[in-house]
């Protein structure tokens, strides 16, 4: 159990195998936790602790092809993404070779890394309807991002917060969502496709209002709407899933309209048991624990379609 006022919101994320031991890791706020997990954790219990201000978004990947996992952490309040070379062993991270990439306001709000044939590219939401591309592991020091995706060709017209949610399937397929809901909910394709202004997949209705978060694999995707009505209750939240085993919807049904069910979602691979889990966060749910800590993460197995409206 990970406890934080922001657990499951923009304060937590699934990293994959950050330290290269074959187990999938996670982070809460500015702390990285190396699996396996057992017990209850606060953010300051992390195995690897960064400056918390750098960690509004985070991704672990081998950015330079040297076999060690590297880390990129975004902070939209600082308008920057910091690239930190591995190995990521903790608890003290060597930042002497860190690279800081900046751009326009809100740069670093959301990011994802694509790795294909040994080449790594990080795609960063830059605010003001702009999405930037950063190749590999930049050299130490500060630089300004200059390569952009032609989002104006992908969404017609682009709307506020376009690109706030950017995700990949872990290889080279990328999806960018329009968080305002005023146009297509998400467009997908390879990085080359999107750089050329070509959309190979388009997720529109019936996902209206479910455009804030998106998780993708080649044959399974999920979209969440934390600010949608469910049974007439505003802000209750819902998640829609489509995949090879069926299409279904999850929603929060206990009458608490403000818990933001679906504020974050992820598809997690349980390799030993050959199960794909859908993790759905509710960062404002009060579980009634001592100290008033809020935040919960719900897990649903997707290899067999769960019954609708389950929580």
């Amino acid at each position: 159990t990970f406890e934080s006022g922001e657990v499951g919101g923009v304060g937590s994320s699934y990293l994959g195998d950050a330290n290269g031991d074959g187990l999938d890791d996670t982070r809460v706020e500015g702390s990285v936790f190396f699996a396996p997990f057992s017990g209850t954790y606060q953010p300051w219990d992390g195995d690897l602790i960064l400056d918390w201000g750098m960690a509004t978004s985070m991704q672990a990947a081998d950015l330079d092809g040297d076999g060690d996992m590297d880390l990129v952490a975004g902070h939209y309040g600082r308008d920057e993404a910091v690239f930190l070379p591995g190995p990521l062993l903790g608890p003290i991270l060597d930042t002497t070779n860190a690279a800081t990439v900046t751009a326009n306001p809100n740069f670093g709000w959301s990011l994802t890394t694509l790795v294909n044939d040994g080449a790594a590219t990080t795609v960063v939401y830059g605010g003001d309807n702009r999405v930037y591309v950063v190749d590999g592991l930049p050299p130490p020091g500060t630089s300004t991002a200059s390569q952009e995706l032609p989002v104006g060709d992908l969404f017609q017209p682009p709307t506020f917060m376009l690109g706030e949610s950017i995700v990949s399937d872990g290889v080279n397929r990328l999806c960018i969502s329009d968080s305002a809901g005023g146009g297509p909910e998400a467009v997908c394709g390879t990085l080359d496709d999107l750089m050329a202004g070509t959309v190979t997949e388009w997720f529109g209705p019936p996902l209206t209002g479910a455009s804030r978060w998106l998780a993708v694999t080649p044959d399974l995707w999920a979209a969440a709407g934390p600010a949608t009505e469910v049974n007439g209750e505003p802000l209750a939240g819902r998640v829609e899933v489509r995949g090879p085993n069926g299409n279904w919807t999850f929603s929060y049904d206990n009458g608490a309209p403000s818990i933001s069910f679906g504020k974050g979602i992820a598809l997690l691979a349980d390799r030993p048991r050959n199960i794909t889990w859908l993790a759905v966060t509710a960062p404002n749910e009060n579980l009634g624990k001592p100290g008033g800590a809020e935040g919960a993460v719900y897990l649903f197995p997707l290899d067999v379609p769960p019954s609708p409206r389950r929580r």
Side-chain angles (χ1 to χ4, degrees):
T1 302
F2 299 95
E3 294 185 354
S4 167
E6 283 291 329
V7 67
V10 295
S12 67
S13 65
Y14 169 69
L15 288 178
D17 182 13
N19 61 348
D21 65 355
L23 300 175
D24 292 332
D25 307 307
T26 193
R27 68 105 179 176
V28 175
E29 295 182 2
S31 296
V32 177
F33 292 85
F34 298 148
F37 308 119
S38 177
T40 299
Y41 305 91
Q42 297 284 356
W44 49 85
D45 298 326
D47 297 294
L48 181 66
I49 299 177
L50 292 79
D51 173 357
W52 287 6
M54 292 181 358
T56 50
S57 58
M58 191 183 294
Q59 179 77 56
D62 184 2
L63 299 176
D64 54 2
D66 65 355
D68 290 327
M69 297 295 283
D70 309 302
L71 198 68
V72 54
H75 188 298
Y76 68 90
R78 296 183 183 177
D79 309 326
E80 67 182 24
V82 179
F83 292 74
L84 302 156
L88 307 174
L89 301 178
I92 299 174
L93 185 64
D94 183 3
T95 60
T96 56
N97 291 320
T100 299
V101 178
T102 63
N104 50 294
N106 287 327
F107 183 79
W109 180 293
S110 176
L111 56 83
T112 193
T113 297
L114 302 118
V115 179
N116 189 36
D117 295 330
T121 301
T122 301
V123 182
V124 186
Y125 167 63
D128 193 28
N129 292 327
R130 304 176 81 169
V131 177
Y132 292 85
V133 176
V134 181
D135 291 325
L137 182 63
T142 301
S143 60
T144 301
S146 59
Q147 186 179 11
E148 292 188 51
L149 280 173
V151 292
D153 296 333
L154 303 177
F155 291 88
Q156 299 292 340
T159 56
F160 181 69
M161 298 302 272
L162 170 66
E164 181 190 30
S165 180
I166 306 174
V167 294
S168 74
D169 62 5
V171 189
N172 66 347
R173 184 170 170 271
L174 180 71
C175 286
I176 302 174
S177 73
D178 170 6
S179 301
E185 268 58 45
V187 294
C188 302
T190 67
L191 183 60
D192 288 342
D193 290 334
L194 299 184
M195 286 295 291
T198 301
V199 176
T200 57
E201 296 170 84
W202 171 65
F203 297 116
L207 290 178
T208 301
S211 58
R212 184 176 178 87
W213 299 92
L214 184 73
V216 179
T217 67
D219 59 355
L220 175 68
W221 61 262
T228 58
E229 289 191 1
V230 176
N231 287 345
E233 292 287 344
L235 303 179
R238 67 190 174 96
V239 178
E240 296 190 11
V241 181
R242 296 184 186 180
N245 295 317
N247 304 331
W248 54 91
T249 299
F250 302 94
S251 62
Y252 197 91
D253 300 323
N254 77 341
S258 61
I259 68 161
S260 297
F261 180 78
K263 182 69 176 291
I265 57 176
L267 297 171
L268 310 180
D270 186 342
R271 299 182 186 93
R273 289 181 287 183
N274 195 29
I275 298 173
T276 299
W277 295 90
L278 172 70
V280 182
T281 67
N284 298 325
E285 182 178 8
N286 189 335
L287 299 178
K289 300 187 67 174
E294 294 184 343
V297 179
Y298 293 94
L299 294 174
F300 305 96
L302 294 184
D303 291 84
V304 177
S307 58
R309 307 190 61 74
R310 176 183 175 190
R311 62 155 288 217

